[in-house]
Amino acid sequence: MLHHPTPGDHPFRARGLRVLIYSHDTFGLGHLRRCRAIANRLVTAHEGASVVIISGSPIIGQFEFADGVDYVRLPGVVKLPNGDYTTSSLRLPLDETVAMRQAILLETARTLKPDLVIVDKEPTGFRGEILPALRELRRNGARIVLGVRDVLDEDEVLAGEWERKGAVDALVEFYDDIWVYGLERVYRPLAGLSLPPETRERIVYTGYLRRELPEKPQSVRYPKVTREPFVLVTAGGGGDGEEMIDWVVSAYEADPGLSVNALVVFGPFVERTRRAAFMERMAQLPRIDAITFDAKIEHLMSRSVGVVAMGGYNTFCEILSLDKRALIVPRRVPRLEQTLRARQAARLGLVSMLDGALLGPGARRDPMLMAEAIRRLPEQPLPSSVTLPHLLDGLDSIEALTRRITAGERADRPGAAARRA
């Protein structure tokens, strides 16, 4: 096992905090938005800080970042329906693409020489690609943190997956801290893992990541349905949201008396032909319209009377931050993450929920069930009616944790207030 440096081994450098944030994911928007929120907060909180996000997202360039934040794009990979992976753009074998990604990660780590490294969700990265970089970073005295969302998957499923990947071993060998971007009262994502006591003691529940409204977009024209009270229907990245969108559209087709308007935001990963088919159907319906994508969707959410969504982590944080009534229709495949989060949130009274099993291929969905849920949405209680201490303290906690690191203090068990929430 490699030596875990103490802060005395690597005092904060006067050249300004340097942070490397790694997210392997190339599908969806949640990972990217989470990394961006953390990066923007760190450069705001630490004068002279620089943050590099290294990601496989094909749309990372469509987002704005604060001064001091930049990104490195890894060659993309995509998951096939059978669970295998392939390259998304390059005409290279997958193993050669992974080798290229691994080399980019290693060289970025060597060149940046970060003080702090935040790895998003996967302790070993995609197919172990980050392990050589972690060894290099450990030798250079970086503090290495695993950041995970509030829910990963069912305990037994996660335990088997991490066993196959060697993730627990990597967690013990390389990581100084584990930040859970949620509340222990809501969910304990690592509870089912066999972690050594000293590793479990390094888990900190930060609270959810509060989202602020970004700078208002200029010269943006939204569809006419947004001029009256409307429900925002968001499928996140959209790659797995077609069934939910279909259910919403069918509700407006089946119930002409559904009086609240709806705006669908497809997301950038809905296939063009499917998007065109939805638009053709919606052209016959006066109260529903759609746009493809909005990098500043927070403004639409803020204006809406409620949100219909699948309930990924990022959307959930936005719902809480903007205090929006929400109807969650969580997917159940390829993992139960969204379902587990929605169940807990509904139990606490933060959202309402429809059974995501009805999103499965070939499922027979009742359009009137969705229509009635949308009709009730503007009248349900706001999330703020539920009192949960430290619910949205995530970014504040992360700022405090990084200040302890830069001050050279031990940070094995900081954020006690957040842990007790």
Side-chain angles (χ1 to χ4, degrees):
M1 182 178 295
L2 296 177
H3 169 56
H4 283 229
T6 65
D9 295 325
H10 52 93
F12 174 60
R13 303 171 178 89
R15 57 174 166 72
L17 178 68
R18 295 186 181 186
V19 182
L20 178 65
I21 300 179
Y22 161 75
S23 175
H24 81 286
D25 207 278
T26 61
F27 186 77
L29 300 178
H31 301 275
L32 176 56
R33 285 184 179 270
R34 181 164 61 242
C35 293
R36 182 184 65 158
I38 293 170
N40 287 349
R41 180 58 173 265
L42 291 179
V43 296
T44 302
H46 298 274
E47 185 177 357
S50 294
V51 180
V52 174
I53 298 173
I54 189 162
S55 168
S57 172
I59 61 168
I60 191 170
Q62 297 185 34
F63 288 87
E64 295 177 2
F65 297 92
D67 290 343
V69 181
D70 211 333
Y71 62 89
V72 174
R73 165 80 201 284
L74 297 172
V77 295
V78 293
K79 194 170 187 177
L80 301 173
N82 64 1
D84 293 335
Y85 282 84
T86 185
T87 55
S88 59
S89 298
L90 295 175
R91 295 169 180 172
L92 294 176
L94 181 60
D95 58 346
E96 292 183 23
T97 301
V98 172
M100 187 184 303
R101 288 166 57 105
Q102 186 177 90
I104 293 170
L105 277 162
L106 182 56
E107 189 57 35
T108 303
R110 285 173 173 166
T111 305
L112 182 63
K113 295 182 174 60
D115 305 286
L116 172 65
V117 180
I118 303 174
V119 174
D120 188 66
K121 181 177 170 280
E122 294 284 350
T124 61
F126 179 68
R127 300 207 170 188
E129 66 185 6
I130 199 173
L131 293 177
L134 291 180
R135 294 187 183 97
E136 181 82 7
L137 291 161
R138 175 60 65 203
R139 283 192 291 268
N140 289 338
R143 191 167 193 95
I144 303 175
V145 174
L146 177 70
V148 299
R149 62 187 181 229
D150 58 340
V151 184
L152 293 172
D153 206 338
E154 296 174 285
D155 287 348
E156 59 272 21
V157 173
L158 182 67
E161 180 181 323
W162 278 33
E163 176 68 25
R164 291 191 302 274
K165 295 178 178 178
V168 171
D169 291 340
L171 194 61
V172 172
E173 182 172 1
F174 295 113
Y175 289 85
D176 298 292
D177 305 284
I178 305 163
W179 297 346
V180 178
Y181 307 132
L183 289 184
E184 191 170 11
R185 179 177 173 183
V186 177
Y187 202 81
R188 297 168 60 212
L190 306 180
L193 299 176
S194 297
L195 299 178
E198 61 272 20
T199 301
R200 196 168 291 280
E201 284 293 305
R202 295 200 292 270
I203 298 175
V204 177
Y205 289 84
T206 67
Y208 289 90
L209 305 182
R210 184 186 298 275
R211 306 302 169 87
E212 306 292 344
L213 283 176
E215 185 177 343
K216 196 167 185 179
Q218 297 179 352
S219 303
V220 173
R221 296 184 63 183
Y222 294 123
K224 186 170 63 175
V225 294
T226 63
R227 297 175 191 171
E228 299 176 4
F230 71 97
V231 167
L232 178 68
V233 182
T234 171
D240 54 4
E242 295 178 4
E243 301 300 326
M244 184 196 72
I245 294 171
D246 176 76
W247 199 357
V248 171
V249 174
S250 70
Y252 281 85
E253 290 171 330
D255 187 355
L258 188 54
S259 60
V260 62
N261 290 353
L263 177 68
V264 176
V265 179
F266 289 119
F269 302 121
V270 170
E271 292 183 0
R272 185 175 302 176
T273 55
R274 288 286 286 162
R275 190 167 64 236
F278 283 129
M279 292 299 295
E280 186 175 340
R281 290 167 64 188
M282 285 186 278
Q284 310 302 315
L285 304 167
R287 292 201 172 275
I288 184 169
D289 206 342
I291 60 175
T292 299
F293 177 58
D294 186 350
K296 297 182 177 181
I297 195 173
E298 296 94 336
H299 287 282
L300 279 171
M301 189 177 291
S302 178
R303 292 174 52 185
S304 72
V305 298
V307 180
V308 180
M310 297 171 71
Y313 178 85
N314 179 70
T315 302
F316 185 60
C317 286
E318 291 170 344
I319 287 166
L320 297 180
S321 300
L322 299 175
D323 198 24
K324 287 296 165 179
R325 300 172 174 90
L327 169 65
I328 304 300
V329 192
R331 71 179 183 217
R332 298 177 64 89
V333 293
R335 56 183 72 247
L336 279 180
E337 169 228 337
Q338 292 182 355
T339 296
L340 294 171
R341 178 182 299 111
R343 284 175 181 167
Q344 289 297 94
R347 179 183 63 81
L348 292 167
L350 295 168
V351 302
S352 59
M353 175 184 171
L354 288 179
D355 187 358
L358 296 174
L359 299 181
R364 299 185 63 181
R365 295 181 288 270
D366 181 357
M368 299 306 293
L369 180 63
M370 175 62 75
E372 185 56 33
I374 293 174
R375 184 175 283 106
R376 291 195 306 266
L377 180 57
E379 307 303 324
Q380 75 183 43
L382 294 168
S384 59
S385 66
V386 179
T387 301
L388 285 175
H390 311 295
L391 179 65
L392 288 166
D393 283 1
L395 292 175
D396 292 338
S397 297
I398 290 170
E399 180 181 336
L401 291 164
T402 56
R403 288 195 183 282
R404 295 186 184 208
I405 292 170
T406 60
E409 299 176 11
R410 287 302 299 172
D412 286 336
R413 298 201 62 190
R419 285 181 57 83
R420 289 195 297 269

